[in-house]
Amino acid sequence: MGLLRSYIVKTTQLLWEFIKQFKWRYIIGMIVLLITSFISSMIPKITGYVTDSINDRMPASVTNKYLLMLVAATVAVFVLRFTWRYFLVGSNRYLECYLREKLFAHMQTLPASFYDNNKTGDLIAYAINDIQAIRRVFGFGFTSILDGVVVNTISIMIMVRTISPMLTLMALAPAPIIVLVIYFLRKKIRERFGMVQKAFAEMSGKVQESISGIRVIKAFAQEEEEVEDFLKYNQVRVDTQMSLTRVSAVLGPVTQLTFGISTVLFIIYGGGLVAKGVISLGDYVAFSSYIMVIMGPIVSIGRIIDVWQRGIASIQRLDRIFCQSSEKDAENALATVSLFGLNRQVEDSQPVEKLRGHIVIRDLTFAYPGTDKIVLHDINLEIKEGETLGILGRTGSGKTTLVNLLLRLYEVEDGHIFIGGRDINHIPLKVLRENIGYVPQDNFLFSTTIKDNIQFFKPIYSDSQIEDAAKMAGIYDEIISFPEGFNTVVGERGVTLSGGQKQRISIARAIIKDPSILILDDSLSAVDTKTEQRILENLKNVLKGRTGIVISHRVSVVRYCDHIIFLDEGRIIERGTHEELMRLRGAYYNLYTSQIEQAEDNLLLQARG
Amino acid sequence: MEYRMDNEYVLRRPKKALFIRLLGYFKPYLPLLALNILFAFLINGAALIKPYIIKHVIDNYLALKIYAPDVFMRMGLLYLAVVLAGCALTYSQTYILTYIGQKIMYDMRKQLFTHIQNMSMKFFDRNSSGRILTRVTNDVEALNEIFSGVLVNSVKDIIMILGIIATMFALDASLALISMGSIPLIVLVTFIYRKAARKNFLRMKMLIGRINGFLAENISGMKLVRIFHREKEKLQEFQKLDKEYFDTSLREVILNSLGRPIIEVINTLIIAVMIWYASGRITGGHLEIGVLYAFITYIRQFFAPINEIAEFYTSIQSALISAERIFDVLDTRELSEDMKTGKHVERIRGEIEFKNVWFAYDDENWVLKDVSFKIEPGETVAFVGATGSGKSTIISLMARFYDIQKGKILIDGVDIREYNLKDLRRQIAVVMQDVFLFSGDIKSNIRLRNSSITDEDIMRAAKLVCADRFIESLPNKYDEEVKERGCTFSAGQRQLISFARAVAFDPAVFVLDEATANIDTETEMAIQQAMANISGGRTTIIIAHRLSTIRNADKIIVIDKGRIKEIGTHDELIKKGGLYRQLYEKQLVYQCIA
Ligand SMILES: Nc1ncnc2c1ncn2[C@@H]1O[C@H](COP(=O)(O)OP(=O)(O)OP(=O)(O)O)[C@@H](O)[C@H]1O
Ligand SMILES: Nc1ncnc2c1ncn2[C@@H]1O[C@H](COP(=O)(O)OP(=O)(O)OP(=O)(O)O)[C@@H](O)[C@H]1O
Ligand SMILES: [Mg+2]
Ligand SMILES: [Mg+2]
């Protein structure tokens, strides 16, 4: 247990905090639960009194008195049970939402590498299934234990004291065996249930991929093959379920059998006791009810253990996420989030500190976490405030990686990257990222309106600001030509737009932030030259007074940059202005000439023709 | 964020029709089903005999204080036998029912997935992947209850109720009448409570679906949210959703804590009334106490099937909603593609002709207007035009991803609609602008599931598109793992892999939609060289914004706002002095001079 606890420290801590916050609900709930259990364990005894009073031909008033007691007890149990369920079970619904929000908030602080290594589907499962499993521990698990222990203790006491110890012993005889049998069954069931879930998750993953990749599947006419592959997953789903059922279907009959055996012993032995006058007929009737009452919790012991173990497994899984360290100094999400709202209302009105766009990179070497391939070697670089850096380089040479590091998507050690004179690791993430406008290489749009995609879920911009940003990005005319204009809802990831349209909306999204550093990662690859030119013209204005980083494969895009670097296999092999690089007659020069050669050819051709 | 799911939780189709259609899936399993109903009768019989045995013991021996150990023993063993029989029957029943349910779900998933795979692109534009996913996974799962439990068990429950009533009347008519008086009350309360619970249940299901969808999109887009520092806004959106879920969830707790317990109170009341009434008769010697005992047991047993039936009603309701959603997909035949019929071709020559083609993605928003052109077999043709002018759309039409509204598309002189779609697409390999990689490894991404492509083919293709260089440097080379959407590769590397895929398929027509947009010039030129070598005799269609890449095309087609403006070779178009020349000069001036 000690070992266990060390694994689940973070989640338990969260749970404790929650329980402390809700302690009165829990305390009241538990007290009421105890009272309820006490009363409900008296009910069979009252039924016994009723039977006796009738069998012994007592006056009607006596019978009626017992009957009234019976009704009163039932009503009391009803009211009390509602009360404790409201307090205890209700709190657990709070707990579920509380954990889910904490989890989401925490996920928002996790580094990019976390998302490289975890499947979206699995992460969703944590937030829904695992958290529900934990809720069940607190709901069903705890209350059943409390209820069961109290009811059984009292019932057994009554049975032993007022009815017959021997009979009680006989009735309870099958219990230990049954607990054991059910425990082992449950264990098997859990294993097999795990397989069912895995099969289901894998099938979902399969379907998910074949829908996301449907364009590829169709383009290569792979539908039939996909179906065939899917059927394998489909079959596994069936097989795992059947193997689960083979075991789990035993559970019901085993329970029936338990009750059955107790009843049989009771008929044989108890019948004798009544006939010989050792116990009354009322006791006999009461006893048969007690068997039911007692066996209930005993049969559910297996289930409780199961819920517990699943809960613990879920807590451990969640803990793996909660223990993932957040990006350095990302706002401590676990502290700021309270149920259904943020604890500290961070004042929006207060503008974020402006960062000066002076970037220095010193001896930077980098490999992605979990790999040993060095992607960036010994990068040394300085971009003065207001200057623009152009980056060229082969596919896979590390351009995007360099930018990722400036955004602190991946961690670097102290002393390598400085922005505005400060080590990047000491700039609050919020300040850093609010000050950088980034146009990623692949354009992810959310399936919402174009407007919302540009302002990106923060409705602080006026319509004219949004329109201006769209104009700067050269997409305005097209947007207003859509029937719904800025309110056009785009498809998933933006599928209903053309490549260039998506790209330009991403540009607008970055520009509207009015950042001190603007980064464009191959962001004009999908637009035609005319549009490219127009955007570059606009960007010149936008970049005035800002620091810019422009990545491209086209010399035409970077040639006017104040500095250009040429990356190859993660090293800067050339650097300088366009003119300097041309004079160098190296990689840049070759690239330039190859891109321009044909153009010049044609100029000549054209001049002649 | 827009969710169009809410109204999907209200049925539009008649329940009966839905239900009958669902029943149709039972057809292959009717014998098993019949067997099961027989079992249901037997199980009920066993349940009814049990209290009767005890009644017999009480009335004939205990109440009279007759000590008869051998009778007790016999009765006990009889009881045990009944219990054992019940157990065996219950086990077989559960097993067979699960089997039927799973088989039917298998059949449905197969039907549904096959259908979805054959849907046209329009369907996927309109429905989010999360939604479609839910149809195949959770919605089918929701039907399971109907197939594996509800039907047989409701028959069982009805038999049970009838059995209890019959037994009661056989034992004592007047007590039976009193008990019957309570039935309407129990039924009423159960159904009122169940109705509220059902509404709540469906709402909860919808909210879980929404939370699911929210997480799916936001986890995929998490990096972007982080970079733009919108965590707080997104968290608040999530909390709003979570709060809604919580309210519903708490209501569930309240309903559950009221519903069942209140039935218990009613039960006790009835029992009290009955005892009160019976006590007079017992004292008068008109009734045996064992009968009273049996009645109490039966009344308690009575509630279970009624509650179960009410619960089934919820399951059915929820299942019908899922069923409707599934049938909605299955019934959208106008969007489904027919992969089977049509003219078969081994190899097309690669002549493509558009004749006055008009096309709109929806209604009348024409994206292509009166487009006509002809591509001869073996030609290399380039499409040029501003972004959003409709180039990718033309390509989608060639592979018949969409059907056109007006005009004709001819391939080798035959209307594109007459071809077998599978054959057609096998012949036309499109490298799409939006790259998609499957999780798996590099090999499986190039080969897809076409087993006729050998490892050598894969390597040759990779070499041709110059992807071999980076692949060889990976620790596992061609077996290197590809994570979700290929997120651990650079954009250009992803593009190379998807390019290699098209090459490996060895098509008659190559269609390259900005296939090298994210690739450096050096690699790009090497690829062009290699492509020129293999494309001998193959029709090749290129879309590129860099005019230098298309200058050598046999034919250049200039598109502007969905209309064809010019067609001709580079030289012709330059001479003509139209749009292309303008474009070209601008680009030249911009690239060289300035
Ligand atoms: N699936 C779709 N549903 C609805 N509209 C679409 C869809 N795909 C494209 N469009 C619209 O059709 C028009 C033409 O798009 P298309 O993708 O053909 O342009 P393109 O010439 O390829 O542009 P680019 O060079 O930017 O890739 C655009 O206005 C776009 O918004
Ligand atoms: N998340 C990641 N995890 C591990 N390796 C990665 C990851 N992202 C990129 N890489 C590897 O790092 C190298 C550099 O990738 P990067 O994306 O920086 O290239 P790039 O210069 O931007 O290329 P491109 O021009 O194709 O966009 C590549 O070899 C790539 O496979
Ligand atoms: Mg890149
Ligand atoms: Mg396009």
Side-chain angles (χ1 to χ4, degrees), chain A residues 12-28:
Chain A
T12 355
Q13 198 181 319
L14 280 176
L15 291 175
W16 263 120
E17 271 166 32
F18 179 84
I19 291 173
K20 260 189 257 158
Q21 214 176 322
F22 276 70
K23 62 174 175 289
W24 284 113
R25 283 170 176 265
Y26 280 108
I27 293 174
I28 294 175

Side-chain angles (χ1 to χ4, degrees), chain A residues 1 8 11-12 15 19 26 33 84 88-89 91-93 95-96 99 129-146 190 303-316 318:
Chain A
M1 198 59 195
I8 56 177
T11 316
T12 355
L15 291 175
I19 291 173
Y26 280 108
L33 170 68
W84 75 251
L88 290 182
V89 182
S91 307
N92 298 321
R93 303 301 170 117
L95 176 69
E96 178 187 354
L99 275 180
N129 305 345
D130 282 317
I131 286 182
Q132 280 179 345
I134 295 176
R135 175 193 90 194
R136 249 170 251 133
V137 171
F138 279 75
F140 176 78
F142 276 137
T143 54
S144 315
I145 290 181
L146 269 179
R190 197 175 54 250
R303 194 167 151 217
I304 295 172
I305 294 175
D306 185 50
V307 166
W308 259 97
Q309 287 180 337
R310 261 192 228 171
I312 299 282
S314 290
I315 290 182
Q316 282 172 341
L318 276 192

Side-chain angles (χ1 to χ4, degrees), chain A residues 54 57 64 74 78 85 93-94 96-97 100-101 108 110 115-117 120 124 132 200 203-204 206 208-210 215-216 218-219 221-223 225-226 229 234-235 237 241 245-246 249 253 264 271-272 275 288 327 337-338 340-342 348 394-395 430 433 438 441-442 444 446-447 455-458 492-493 502 504 509 513 522 526-529 532 536 553 559 569 591 595-596 598-599 602 606, chain B residues 62 66 72 76 84 87 91 95 98 102 106 109 113 117 119 121 125 129 132-133 137-138 141 212 217 222-224 226-236 239 242-243 245-246 249 252 257 261 268 275-276 283 289 293 337 339 386-387 422 425-426 434 436 439 449 469 483-485 490-494 501 505 518 520-523 525 545-546 548 551 570 581 584-585 587-588 590-591 594:
Chain A
I54 297 172
R57 310 287 194 269
N64 293 350
T74 317
F78 169 70
R85 280 188 61 96
R93 303 301 170 117
Y94 273 110
E96 178 187 354
C97 294
R100 187 176 296 124
E101 287 173 21
Q108 285 189 324
L110 295 178
Y115 292 96
D116 293 345
N117 294 315
T120 314
I124 297 177
Q132 280 179 345
F200 188 76
M203 184 180 72
S204 302
K206 169 74 207 168
Q208 171 75 54
E209 283 238 313
S210 35
R215 282 170 176 76
V216 175
K218 292 212 159 287
Q222 297 286 300
E223 291 95 339
E225 289 80 355
E226 273 307 295
D229 194 52
N234 199 2
Q235 186 63 47
R237 167 78 187 86
Q241 181 71 51
T245 305
R246 267 193 289 281
V264 168
S288 73
E327 285 181 320
V337 181
S338 74
F340 309 132
L342 298 170
D348 271 331
R394 232 185 222 282
T395 285
K430 177 177 166 162
R433 291 187 181 156
Y438 176 57
Q441 198 166 13
D442 32 25
F444 186 98
F446 280 77
S447 56
Q455 66 183 6
F456 212 54
F457 306 107
K458 199 167 182 176
E492 209 176 20
R493 287 174 175 257
K502 270 186 286 192
R504 284 171 292 152
R509 183 173 65 193
K513 278 176 75 180
D522 209 3
V527 300
D528 57 291
T529 350
E532 174 183 313
L536 280 178
H553 290 299
R559 67 179 286 182
E569 312 237 316
L591 181 67
Q595 287 186 1
I596 241 56
Q598 295 159 320
N602 279 287
Q606 198 190 325
Chain B
L62 300 187
I66 299 173
F72 294 161
L84 282 174
C87 288
Y91 182 85
Y95 188 82
T98 313
Q102 289 296 316
Y106 179 90
R109 286 210 168 101
F113 188 81
Q117 284 292 309
M119 284 307 224
M121 243 32 255
D125 289 346
S129 63
I132 307 175
L133 174 68
T137 53
N138 297 337
E141 206 72 27
N212 220 313
E217 187 172 56
M222 184 68 88
K223 202 171 135 193
L224 209 61
R226 307 291 307 288
I227 292 173
F228 281 81
H229 200 73
R230 291 293 193 267
E231 290 95 333
K232 205 165 45 127
E233 284 74 14
K234 281 296 182 188
L235 181 62
Q236 274 163 351
Q239 287 182 320
D242 208 35
K243 174 83 170 72
Y245 169 77
F246 170 76
S249 168
E252 183 187 51
S257 316
T268 312
I275 295 177
W276 174 76
T283 11
I289 193 156
Y293 174 86
E337 296 179 333
M339 306 295 290
T387 133
K422 195 173 171 96
R425 293 196 183 142
R426 275 270 157 95
D434 289 308
F436 184 88
S439 31
R449 299 192 186 284
R469 213 181 84 153
K483 297 256 171 70
E484 211 171 33
R485 285 177 182 262
S490 88
Q493 289 166 343
R494 288 197 290 263
R501 184 191 281 158
F505 270 72
N518 295 116
D520 59 284
T521 315
E522 193 185 332
T523 312
M525 292 200 311
H545 287 304
R546 287 175 250 183
S548 59
R551 208 182 49 132
H570 176 77
R581 180 169 172 149
Y584 194 71
E585 279 176 354
Q587 190 167 350
L588 282 185
Y590 163 63
Q591 279 188 337

Side-chain angles (χ1 to χ4, degrees), chain A residues 310-438:
Chain A
R310 261 192 228 171
I312 299 282
S314 290
I315 290 182
Q316 282 172 341
R317 263 200 297 270
L318 276 192
D319 222 50
R320 275 215 305 273
I321 298 188
F322 278 125
C323 285
Q324 290 271 341
S325 40
S326 310
E327 285 181 320
K328 257 187 239 157
D329 85 17
E331 270 168 46
N332 186 355
L334 298 185
T336 49
V337 181
S338 74
L339 201 50
F340 309 132
L342 298 170
N343 255 350
R344 275 189 283 117
Q345 270 305 326
V346 193
E347 306 89 87
D348 271 331
S349 48
Q350 193 181 312
V352 184
E353 173 194 352
K354 269 277 175 208
L355 204 58
R356 301 202 15 244
H358 179 221
I359 302 173
V360 175
I361 298 176
R362 231 183 262 153
D363 303 329
L364 175 68
T365 297
F366 177 78
Y368 278 97
T371 64
D372 29 66
K373 199 177 114 200
I374 293 183
V375 178
L376 293 174
H377 288 274
D378 272 332
I379 304 287
N380 281 290
L381 196 64
E382 179 173 0
I383 314 170
K384 300 223 171 67
E385 200 177 349
E387 284 188 348
T388 301
L389 172 77
I391 307 181
L392 287 168
R394 232 185 222 282
T395 285
S397 57
K399 305 179 293 295
T400 303
T401 308
L402 187 62
V403 171
N404 280 343
L405 297 183
L406 289 179
L407 284 159
R408 248 177 81 190
L409 287 174
Y410 296 89
E411 294 251 335
V412 288
E413 281 166 27
D414 282 2
H416 292 293
I417 305 181
F418 301 86
I419 297 183
R422 282 200 269 174
D423 191 308
I424 191 171
N425 289 335
H426 301 282
I427 304 173
L429 265 185
K430 177 177 166 162
V431 175
L432 179 73
R433 291 187 181 156
E434 284 287 4
N435 276 288
I436 299 182
Y438 176 57

Side-chain angles (χ1 to χ4, degrees), chain A residues 246-267:
Chain A
R246 267 193 289 281
V247 184
S248 67
V250 177
L251 217 52
V254 162
T255 317
Q256 281 175 27
L257 196 63
T258 320
F259 283 105
I261 292 175
S262 287
T263 315
V264 168
L265 291 175
F266 161 75
I267 293 175

Side-chain angles (χ1 to χ4, degrees), chain B residues 174-243:
Chain B
S174 62
L175 277 187
L177 278 177
I178 294 184
S179 321
M180 287 308 104
S182 66
I183 293 181
L185 191 61
I186 294 185
V187 171
L188 188 73
V189 173
T190 309
F191 276 81
I192 290 177
Y193 147 67
R194 270 292 153 201
K195 192 167 176 192
R198 181 162 56 245
K199 238 177 96 185
N200 204 55
F201 172 77
L202 295 177
R203 206 179 140 66
M204 215 153 127
K205 204 168 135 177
M206 171 195 87
L207 284 167
I208 279 283
R210 274 171 55 174
I211 291 181
N212 220 313
F214 179 90
L215 288 172
E217 187 172 56
N218 279 278
I219 292 174
S220 314
M222 184 68 88
K223 202 171 135 193
L224 209 61
V225 171
R226 307 291 307 288
I227 292 173
F228 281 81
H229 200 73
R230 291 293 193 267
E231 290 95 333
K232 205 165 45 127
E233 284 74 14
K234 281 296 182 188
L235 181 62
Q236 274 163 351
E237 202 181 322
F238 184 63
Q239 287 182 320
K240 223 175 99 205
L241 196 56
D242 208 35
K243 174 83 170 72

